[in-house]
Amino acid sequence: EAACSRARELTSQLLTFSSGGAPVRKRLDLARLLRDTSRLGAAGSRVRCRISPAPDLRPVAADEGQITQLVRNLVLNAVQAMPEGGEVRVEAHNEPQAGEVVITVADEGEGISQAVRERIFEPFFSTREGSQGLGLSTVYSIAKRHGGQVEIESTGDQGTVMRVRLPASALDEE
């Protein structure tokens, strides 16, 4: 059952790179999705997950399955950066001037070197033994397909902060 589940996830990630991975957008309650998805990403690990969406978080026009995959991949990457445990902070807020919603996933891991940061979104690139190297490249692809962008901030051993910026949905959109 676990192997089938992993195969389904891998197939979904591969589809994101193909023309069949175009998002099917609908109005999405991002706060609910973050709460539901983030805890699952940290389940079974020694990592605590603190989820803090802004109370006035605007919805986004997005593909729920793809945004779920994006959040799950970010949380899983953060969890893997802290094998001894720690805390992952998942936050989201509005940036009204830019018309964006920003999702932030921060960990307390060892950080990512500049050389690795330059390649981190490449498909099949990984620093972990046995990894397919599709997690963060999938995050990047999903964000781009939704008109967004991904930013990474990491210094030394102070952890990593990943930010995904997505266009906020117009209030009158269905």
Side-chain angles (χ1 to χ4, degrees):
E1 190 174 310
C4 288
S5 177
R6 182 66 189 131
R8 181 176 38 83
E9 290 174 19
L10 181 58
T11 301
S12 179
Q13 288 179 1
L14 290 171
L15 281 173
T16 300
F17 295 112
S18 73
S19 59
V24 177
R25 298 170 196 257
K26 66 177 186 174
R27 190 179 173 102
L28 184 60
D29 177 357
L30 197 54
R32 177 195 54 78
L33 185 142
L34 290 175
R35 284 189 291 272
D36 293 348
T37 304
S38 298
R39 285 190 181 93
L40 288 175
S45 74
R46 300 167 78 183
V47 173
R48 295 175 313 281
C49 194
R50 184 172 46 126
I51 305 155
S52 306
D56 63 342
L57 191 63
R58 293 190 53 197
V60 294
D63 185 304
E64 184 170 5
Q66 289 188 15
I67 299 301
T68 296
Q69 185 176 18
L70 178 147
V71 172
R72 184 176 48 236
N73 287 358
L74 287 174
V75 170
L76 181 59
N77 198 66
V79 166
Q80 290 172 344
M82 300 182 296
E84 301 304 314
E87 181 177 78
V88 173
R89 294 179 321 278
V90 180
E91 301 168 350
H93 68 274
N94 301 318
E95 285 204 1
Q97 305 86 342
E100 296 175 331
V101 173
V102 180
I103 302 167
T104 303
V105 177
D107 67 56
E108 300 171 336
E110 63 185 44
I112 303 171
S113 71
Q114 179 62 35
V116 171
R117 280 197 309 269
E118 291 174 7
R119 298 191 59 203
I120 202 158
F121 298 119
E122 292 177 16
F124 309 109
F125 173 78
S126 179
T127 60
R128 292 190 184 92
E129 186 72 29
S131 173
Q132 285 99 6
L134 289 172
L136 292 178
S137 56
T138 299
V139 166
Y140 180 84
S141 179
I142 291 170
K144 285 294 186 191
R145 286 178 188 239
H146 283 82
Q149 60 185 7
V150 183
E151 302 166 353
I152 182 169
E153 182 181 314
S154 186
T155 54
D157 60 353
Q158 297 178 2
T160 300
V161 178
M162 301 285 289
R163 284 186 194 86
V164 177
R165 297 176 177 279
L166 297 171
S169 179
L171 293 177
D172 57 353
E173 283 184 41
E174 289 291 326

